Amino acid sequence: MTSQKAGPKPINTARRPERPAPVPSPARSGTPAGPVRQLQQTIGNRRTGEMLKAATAADATGETAPGVMELKGMPTFVPPPPIADFLKERTRGNVNVRFGSLAAGQLEVRRVGQRYSVREQAIPLTHPLFTGALAPSLLVAVGDGGKIRGRVGFDGGKGNLAVLIRKSPDLVGLGALDLSRLGSAINTLENGALHLGIKGTPIRMGGAFTGTLTLEAVNEAITFEGSAAVTVRGLASGSLELKRSTEGIVTGTATVGLTLPKGFSGNVAVGWDGRAITGEGKVGYTGEKFSGEVLLRLMEKGAAARLEAANTAPERTPAPAATVGPRSDKVDYVVFGEGDLTFAFTDWLNGTAHVIVDPRGNLTVIGKITPQKEFILFPQKDFNKDLFKVEARASYGIPVVGNIFIFANVGMGAFAKLGPAKFYNIVVEGTYSTDPKKAQNFTIQGSLNISAAAGLRLRGEAGAGLEILSHDIKAGAGVNALAGIRGYAEATPVIGYREKGAEGEDKKGEFFIRGDMEIAAQPFLGLSGDLFVEIDAPWWSPVPDKRWTWPLGGKEWPIGGSFGVGATVDYVFGSSQAPSVEFKPVEFSAEKFMTDLYSDKATGGSGDKGEKKGAWKEKNTRAAEPPPKQAKKGAAQEGEAPKQSPAKARVTPGGPKKAKKPADPNARTADGKTVRQYQAEAEKRGKRPGAKEPEKKADKPATDVAARMGRVKTALDQALAYAEKTGIGLNELNTVLKSIRRRKEYGLKELKARDGGENWIVAATLNPTQDLKTVKKKGKAAAAGDLYYEKPFPIPSYKEHAGAGAKHKTLYTGRAKADKLFHEKRDRKTGQVGKWESWARQNLSEPLKKKAADLGMSDRDIVRPRFNRAGEKMTFHIDHIVEYQLQGDDETENYWMLRGSENSSSGSTLKAAIAAVRTESDKKRKEDGQPATVKIFFKNPVLEGNAEDTIYWRKSEIKKGDHIAAYEKHRDSLKNQLKE
C-alpha cells in the first residue's frame, strides 16, 4: 500500500481528538485507550492486534486516521468528524473500520473533493454461519455516491459462495448433506446489512431422503428451516423436520407409523443426527402363533439382506456413524428387527422364541425355541386290594366317656400303579418362518415316559388311641414291605418338517420321525415307613372316616437283573420305504422310572379329602370290648380313687366290627346336639345300627361333555401358565382364548373372559356354560367397552427435553398409573390463547411490563412472544403439556408455548396412532361379540428424544421475563424480523 504525505500546513491538534496509541506488544505494559479499547472489548485482544498490526506502523508515521469507523447500519460512507478531519488533509489514508462484532480491519480510503471511494478490500470476518476450515473475509468497497457495498469471500476474496458451498457443504455446517443441486447463494453487503445464505435449496440426506432447506443470516442473526421426506420400506410416509443448533449442527426427528403386514402396530422414531440417518422403535406384534414386542431399526437394504441370509439379529447397540461427507450414491433404507416373542404352536406347546423381522414383515425364528419344561399327559393312578388284616388292642376304660387303648396290627394287600405319563425335555429348533419363500426345516424333540409297578405289600402298624362317644381316634406308625416288579416305557422321538426342491422348482415338504424307544423292567424289594392319624366314626356320626399320613421315606433293593429292549426308528411319512428299525438291549434306569411306590395317588369319595400321602383306609378293625361295669356310686373310700378293671388284650381277626362302648343317648356334642338327635338324623338318611356300611361306588365315567371340559381346562392351564405371575391384559387373553376356541376337538360354542375384580374369569360353553379358570389381571379392571392398552405407546419426542423432560415424563407416567391417561371423545373448544394471555397479564410484574414497553415490544410479544430465546422469529402455539386428546387438563397449569410446526405434526401423529389402536380393538371386539371401544387407557406412555430449548417457552420463563431479556439481547435483529 502506498501512502501520501500530509500537506505543508500543519493540522491544528488542539481541535483534533487524541490519537490512539499503538497496540502494545505482549511484552509491553500499559493499558490501551480510546478506539483501540473499544475494538478490544468488541472482538477481543488477539483479533484487534492482528487487525491493527499493519496500522500500527502506519500510525507511527501519521498515515492512519484516529478512531474506528462503524460500517454496520451505514448505507453510505460518511466518516465521523475525527476521521473526516483526518481525510480532509489527504487524498488517501488508512481508516480502521469494523462491522459490528463480525469483522474489523483497515481500509485505504481515497478522497476526491467531497467524495470518498474505496476499491474492494478484504478485512477479517468471523461469522457464526461459517464452520469450515477456510477463513472468510468481508470484501468492502465504496463506489459512486459513496454507497457501501460488499460480499464475503474466501482465500483472499476468491471463489463464488454458491460454488464453494456446493463443493464443500461443511463450510456452513452442512457437511453430511448433498447440496449438489444448489443453484445460487445470497451474498451481499448493502444498506448497512450483511445478507448471506441459501434459500429453498434441494438436499439429499444419507443418500436416501430428499427435501429442501433455507439457511439465511442477516448480520449476526441466523434463521433456518428445512424438512425431508421419509421414504423407508415398511414405514408410512413422514416428514423429517430439521433444526440447526447454535453450534451449527443440523439434526431432525420424525415419528412414523408402519406399513408392515397385519399384526404389527406402533411407530418408529426416524432421525438425522448430523452425520447419518437413524431410526428405531419398539412395536407390537400379534399373530396366529406369535405375540409380543420386537425392536425395529432402520438400516441399508444390503445390510438387512446380509443379516436375513445369515439368520442373524442386528447388534443390540449399533455402532455410531462415522464422520463422512455427503453420500452421492442412492441408498435404500428398510426396517429390520429382532425380539423375543411368545409362541403357541398348539394348546400344549408354547413358550418363547427369538425372531428376526425382515423388511417385508416376515418373522423367522433363529436359534432354539424354548417351550415349557414338561407336560403331564395323565397323573399317577393307584389300584389297591386288601387281602387280610388282624389287630391286637389293649383298652383301658374311662368312666362315662370311653376308652384309652394301644394297638398293633398287620395286614397284606396287592397294589398296582400306573403313571405318571409325562412329556419332558422338550426342544424345538430349526428354521421356522412366516416367509413363504423360505424353506421350513424344524424339529420337535421330547421324551415320552410311562412308568408302572405291581406287587404285594405287607403292612404293620402300632400306636395308641382314644374312644369317645363310639369314635376311635388313632395315632401311630406304620412299616411297609413291598415285593414286586417295576418298569417303564420311554420314547424320545424327533418329529420334524423339512422342505426340499431343486433350484427353480417348487419346494416339497415332508414330515419325518426318528428317535429311540426302550422298555425295561426289574423285580425289587422295598421298605418304607410313615406316621399316621386316623378317625373311625360310628354309623350315626356326621364326622367322616378320615386318615392322615406322613411318609418317612423308603428304599428299594433290586432282585436279580433287569430285562428290557430298545429300538431306533427313522421314517419319512408317506415314503414308499419301510421304517428303519434297529433293536438293541437296554438296562433298567432308575432315573427314568417315575412312579411313586410309597405314596398312593388314588382319591376317595367325600370324607377322604383330608387324606395325606401313603394312606390306606382299613375298614375291618375290631373295636375294644366295653369295660366291665363300674362299682356302684359311692363305693369308693374317702381319699382313695375308684378301682378300675384290669386291661384286657384281644387279638381280633378281620370281620365285622364288634360293638363299641355305647354312647349315652343324652350326651351332648360340641355343637349342642345330643347323640339321640344324630341317630335320628342318620336313620332318616337310611342308615341303621349294625348295618354294613355301604361300599363306595366307583365314580361313573365322565360324560363326553365333562371330558372335553377337562381337556379345555388343561389347555387353558398350559397356555396361560406364564400369566399366573405377571398377569394378562384383556386383548392378549382374548387372543389366547380364540386360538383354543377354534380347535374342533373341543366343540366349544364360546370361550370368553369376563371381569371378576382382580382376576379375569374364563367361561366355556358346551352345554351348559361353565367357569373354568381365573387369570390374574395386568393392570386394573376395565369397564364394559374399555380397553387397557399395555403396550408401549409413543408420545411425540419433543415432549421430553433438557428443560422440562423429567417433569413431563412424571406427569404422563403418574396419570397412566392413576388411569387418567386415556382417550375418549371430548369437546375441542378450549380457548387456550385467551386463557394464556389473561394469565400472562396477571402474572407479569409491572417493572417487567414497563421494561418491555421501553424496549419497544408489542403488546402481543409481551404476553405471547413471536421469537425464541436465540432471537429468531418463530410461530408458537399454546399447547397442552399432557395432550388434550389424552384427557390433559384444559387449564393454564397444563399450558406451554411450543413451536407451531411441532404442535401441528404431533397432533395428527397422535390422532392417527390412537385411531389405529381403536380400530384394532373394535375389530377384535366385534369378532368376540363385545361392545365397541369407549375409553382407551394407555398404561405405558413412552417419551423419547431431546428437543432444543429454542422451540418452547414455559410459564415460569414468561413469568420471570426471560423472553423480555431475549428481546433486549437480540433487539436489533428482531426489529427487522418482526416487521416482516
Side-chain angles (χ1 to χ4, degrees), residues 535-615:
I535 296 178
D536 189 5
W539 65 273
W540 51 265
S541 175
V543 178
D545 292 346
K546 210 164 191 178
R547 184 182 181 98
W548 296 266
T549 304
W550 292 269
L552 300 177
K555 187 171 179 60
E556 301 92 41
W557 291 270
I559 303 175
S562 63
F563 52 91
V565 63
T568 300
V569 179
D570 193 349
Y571 178 63
V572 176
F573 293 98
S575 172
S576 58
Q577 298 180 354
S580 172
V581 182
E582 178 185 351
F583 293 97
K584 55 187 177 182
V586 297
E587 293 292 330
F588 183 89
S589 172
E591 293 180 355
K592 297 179 181 179
F593 179 73
M594 300 183 183
T595 299
D596 189 343
L597 291 172
Y598 301 106
S599 299
D600 289 340
K601 307 299 182 183
T603 303
S606 62
D608 294 326
K609 294 181 180 179
E611 197 171 311
K612 303 298 180 182
K613 287 186 175 181

Side-chain angles (χ1 to χ4, degrees), residues 30-43:
T31 302
V36 175
R37 177 182 293 180
Q38 296 176 13
L39 274 177
Q40 290 175 320
Q41 291 174 346
T42 304
I43 60 176

